[in-house]
Amino acid sequence: SAHVVFVVLSVCQVEEGAESVLCPRLNGHGAVTRYYSSDSKDDLHVRYLDGEDSGIVVVGINRPKAKNAINKNLVKMMFEAVEDIKKNKKVRSVILCSLVPGIFCAGADLKERAKMHQSEVGPFVSKARALITELGNLPVPTIAAIDGAALGGGLEMALACDIRISSNTAKMGLVETKLAIIPGAGGTQRLPRVIGVSLAKELIFAARVVDGTQAQQMGLVSHSVEQNNSGDAAYLRALELAREINPQGPIAIRMAKLAINQGIEMDLSTGLAIEEACYSQVIPTKDRLEGLSAFKEKRQPQYKGE
């Protein structure tokens, strides 16, 4: 599938119809370009990084006027992005982030929701739930870079990722009970699995919002980093992590993810059988032989995913 490469210019270019523009610090490969635009096809930016970062895909949500809220169009675009990533064997890791400063995703688009007929709400929530399930089922490591508020469905999206990294100032919470509803896209299931049952109940019952530092203390995020002037500290830390994952054996990583995800839901003996089945998949690979050769020859292995 075609690799999309965005050239980041050091001049801030204002797109036609853009209301304002923010030029983030440019950091070579993987810099995030941010611009505001009201065009719905700009709601999501998918970038396949190149050069040394080849294999890293950055999925950036870009609905500044709506605080990146999840509407029908964003769900559709994210489904397409997830499908493309799933089919592409060259992808090594995915970073889910926001291109809008100060916000990750404010949850469901309540303005759109208010206009929906009651009969439309169920199907829309089902579609959003299916999207988040698909995101969780991606075969490669997924990292949510939370540089701003991640509320309701926004946090549910991050919970479906393998690893969450936030800035210390980011705000997170499943706040649905404030609206007399419950988390409907996996929050009641994924949050207790991540932070434990009692704490998850407390956060959901109280609709409590925590910051990045508190989130790290409770294990909701793996790393909480100090926010920088350009507001993309969590993204930069996620990029570092993706770069750490990149050189490892890609089939091995896919199998490790599968073994962990399936095994964690089982008793130990079933989990060990799943691990054995996943291990048997890596034995016949060319990558495994390349790893042994590289070790013997004291050089860096060059894995091809074969």
Side-chain angles (χ1 to χ4, degrees), residues 38 61 66 72-73 86 92 119 153 162 221-222:
S38 51
I61 308 174
K72 287 176 180 174
N73 186 54
K86 212 161 48 177
R92 303 280 178 98
S119 64
D162 297 313
V221 301
S222 305

Side-chain angles (χ1 to χ4, degrees), residues 116-159:
M116 281 184 198
H117 187 266
Q118 196 172 333
S119 64
E120 292 176 274
V121 176
F124 171 73
V125 173
S126 291
K127 195 124 208 250
R129 185 186 294 123
L131 166 67
I132 290 174
T133 300
E134 282 298 292
L135 182 64
N137 288 339
L138 274 175
V140 294
T142 50
I143 308 162
I146 307 170
D147 271 306
L151 303 170
L155 182 55
E156 287 178 305
M157 218 170 349
L159 282 165

Side-chain angles (χ1 to χ4, degrees), residues 38-54:
S38 51
D39 194 331
S40 68
K41 72 177 190 300
D42 288 325
D43 284 357
L44 194 73
H45 281 206
V46 182
R47 289 182 308 130
Y48 287 73
L49 303 190
D50 63 342
E52 285 188 6
D53 288 338
S54 184

Side-chain angles (χ1 to χ4, degrees), residues 165-187:
I165 294 172
S166 76
S167 66
N168 58 343
T169 54
K171 300 279 188 271
M172 284 157 268
L174 293 179
V175 295
E176 284 85 349
T177 57
K178 264 191 168 52
L179 294 168
I181 56 173
I182 69 167

